[in-house]
């Protein structure tokens, strides 16, 4: 006799399957998406998949893919790379510059070129004010992550170049090769900010303890830009490195973080200025570095056991941005 899964276990399995589809879509935004293939990835009925996806996500598959393409394009345009508007369009799945421009203006109210010029000018003004006033993580134009970070323990190689974030907070940016990592993750969908810290404390930390993973390396991946993506649709993955024999269960799933070349910056400071650190790295340091972001995920890397300095209240982590040559 087959035992019927509980409602909680059933929802956890749905979440795992849909998350696999979202991960696949994000990794293939430059390609046509096949609904039947996505249904197979989720192991759902091909006939019912579109309805299941829309019910779970609150938007159709087509609307979701279009939104993510435009959000990714907007982020690429605002990063100060030498990529043309047409190259951005093709890299995010649009077949012509005209179709991209129409869709972009419909969503953001301006042309891609105007977006690029006005956003870069605004962010330069904001970056010049870093250190003069506290940052606001929820309005940060870059990916925003957890407020649990790592005490300085990078062991990632020699420093290639140093830049100063503010007079009181310096970050060394090193170009290093990071190894691949096999992680178990749980996803939080909703506004970035305090909820992420509570997610780590209330859900992830107890799970790590019960599975003997408290001393493992942690990663925080904010997949969405909160200045572009609706707050209730922002995705954050709390990840913990696990050995090859580890088997995920419940709402936990396995993800492979790709290795390769990363710009790694050591951050230490109050959590509320972390967003400014991300902004400085992507909007100020990156355009001057001779490098550009590629499509691997950005993340924060830290150890939960040494993340917080109990005496100063400061957080420490390594901010990791995947890079390639211009």
């Amino acid at each position: 006799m087959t035992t019927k899964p509980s409602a909680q276990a059933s929802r956890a399995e749905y979440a795992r399957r849909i998350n696999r589809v979202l991960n696949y879509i994000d990794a293939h935004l430059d390609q046509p998406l096949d609904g039947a293939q996505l249904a197979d990835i989720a192991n759902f009925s091909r006939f019912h998949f579109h309805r299941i996806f829309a019910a779970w996500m609150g938007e159709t598959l087509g609307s979701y893919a279009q939104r993510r393409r435009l959000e990714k394009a907007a982020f690429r345009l605002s990063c100060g790379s030498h990529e043309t508007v047409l190259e951005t369009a093709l890299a995010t799945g649009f077949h012509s510059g005209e179709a991209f421009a129409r869709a972009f203006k419909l969503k953001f109210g301006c042309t891609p070129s105007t977006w690029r010029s006005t956003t870069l000018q605004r962010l330069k003004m904001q970056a010049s004010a870093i250190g003069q006033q506290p940052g606001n993580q929820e309005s940060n134009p870059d990916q925003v992550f957890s407020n649990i970070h790592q005490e300085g323990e990078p062991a990632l190689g020699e420093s290639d170049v140093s830049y100063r974030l503010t007079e009181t907070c310096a970050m060394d940016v090193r170009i290093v090769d990071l190894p691949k990592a096999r992680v178990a993750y749980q996803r939080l969908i909703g506004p970035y900010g305090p909820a992420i810290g509570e997610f780590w404390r209330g859900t992830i930390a107890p799970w790590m303890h019960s599975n003997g993973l408290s001393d493992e390396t942690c990663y925080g991946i904010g997949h969405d830009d909160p200045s572009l993506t609706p707050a209730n649709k922002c995705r954050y993955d709390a990840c913990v490195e696990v050995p090859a024999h580890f088997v995920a269960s419940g709402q936990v799933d396995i993800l492979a973080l790709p290795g390769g070349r990363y710009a790694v910056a050591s951050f230490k400071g109050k959590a509320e200025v972390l967003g400014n650190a991300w902004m400085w790295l992507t909007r100020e340091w990156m355009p001057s570095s001779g490098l550009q972001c590629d499509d691997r995920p950005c993340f924060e890397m830290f150890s939960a056991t040494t993340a917080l300095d109990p005496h100063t209240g400061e957080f420490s982590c390594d901010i990791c941005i995947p890079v390639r040559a211009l």
Side-chain angles (χ1 to χ4, degrees):
M1 180 178 178
T2 303
T3 302
K4 182 179 179 180
S6 67
Q8 182 178 6
S10 179
R11 290 189 64 83
E13 180 61 22
Y14 264 69
R16 283 159 56 97
R17 295 188 189 191
I18 293 295
N19 285 341
R20 290 171 186 168
V21 172
L22 301 185
N23 294 345
Y24 181 89
I25 292 173
D26 254 29
H28 298 85
L29 286 175
D30 60 334
Q31 303 171 19
L33 296 173
D34 182 354
Q37 182 183 16
L38 296 177
D40 292 345
I41 290 170
N43 197 25
F44 281 129
S45 160
R46 292 185 175 185
F47 181 76
H48 293 291
F49 175 68
H50 285 268
R51 185 182 304 171
I52 293 170
F53 184 94
W56 188 268
M57 293 299 298
E59 57 188 326
T60 65
L61 178 61
S63 295
Y64 176 84
Q66 179 82 335
R67 174 171 66 80
R68 287 296 303 129
R69 286 184 169 119
L70 289 168
E71 289 168 355
K72 186 171 184 179
F75 182 78
R76 292 173 75 117
L77 288 169
S78 64
C79 281
S81 74
H82 297 290
E83 191 173 75
T84 67
V85 170
L86 179 58
E87 287 170 339
T88 298
L90 297 176
T92 50
F94 291 90
H95 299 298
S96 71
E98 293 78 10
F100 173 57
R102 286 195 302 270
F104 194 95
K105 188 169 185 178
L106 184 64
K107 180 171 178 61
F108 295 111
C110 64
T111 65
S113 296
T114 300
W115 172 275
R116 187 206 295 269
S117 61
T118 58
T119 302
L120 288 175
Q121 182 60 34
R122 174 173 57 84
L123 290 168
K124 284 182 180 295
M125 294 174 62
Q126 291 177 350
S128 68
I130 292 176
Q132 299 175 18
Q133 57 186 6
N136 182 341
Q137 280 191 305
E138 297 215 38
S139 64
N140 164 35
D142 297 303
Q143 296 170 323
V144 185
F145 303 89
S146 74
N147 60 355
I148 300 179
H149 312 292
Q150 177 183 353
E151 187 67 24
E153 189 188 352
L156 294 173
E158 294 299 322
S159 172
D160 291 317
V161 62
S162 297
Y163 289 83
R164 182 161 293 275
L165 177 60
T166 69
E167 292 183 358
T168 59
C169 179
M171 291 199 304
D172 290 329
V173 183
R174 310 176 305 283
I175 309 303
V176 299
D177 289 322
L178 295 180
K180 295 179 181 178
R182 183 176 188 264
V183 300
Y185 77 97
Q186 296 190 54
R187 177 164 293 172
L188 179 68
I189 298 181
Y192 294 151
I196 290 178
E198 180 54 38
F199 188 50
W200 278 99
R201 291 188 297 271
T203 300
I204 306 302
W207 176 85
M208 291 172 63
H209 179 74
S210 65
N211 285 273
L213 300 171
S214 296
D215 295 328
E216 298 298 331
T217 301
C218 299
Y219 305 82
I221 306 174
H223 291 283
D224 299 299
D225 181 333
S227 72
L228 303 173
T229 302
N232 67 337
K233 295 186 182 300
C234 286
R235 298 160 299 149
Y236 176 88
D237 288 348
C239 310
V240 182
E241 195 160 349
V242 293
H245 60 77
F246 183 86
V247 178
S249 62
Q251 202 161 340
V252 179
D253 208 349
I254 299 297
L255 180 69
L257 290 183
R261 198 180 191 200
Y262 284 80
V264 179
S266 296
F267 171 85
K268 184 174 184 179
K270 298 296 184 179
E272 58 266 24
V273 301
L274 181 59
N276 283 341
W278 276 101
M279 181 173 67
W280 178 82
L281 282 164
T282 55
R283 313 301 199 192
E284 293 297 309
W285 178 82
M286 188 68 71
S288 303
S289 68
L291 302 168
Q292 60 183 318
C293 295
D294 67 21
D295 291 332
R296 291 169 293 160
C298 301
F299 52 81
E300 293 174 357
M301 182 169 61
F302 55 90
S303 170
T305 58
T306 56
L308 174 66
D309 186 327
H311 303 294
T312 65
E314 290 184 321
F315 296 103
S316 298
C317 70
D318 285 323
I319 299 174
C320 304
I321 300 176
V323 294
R324 59 183 173 89
L326 280 174

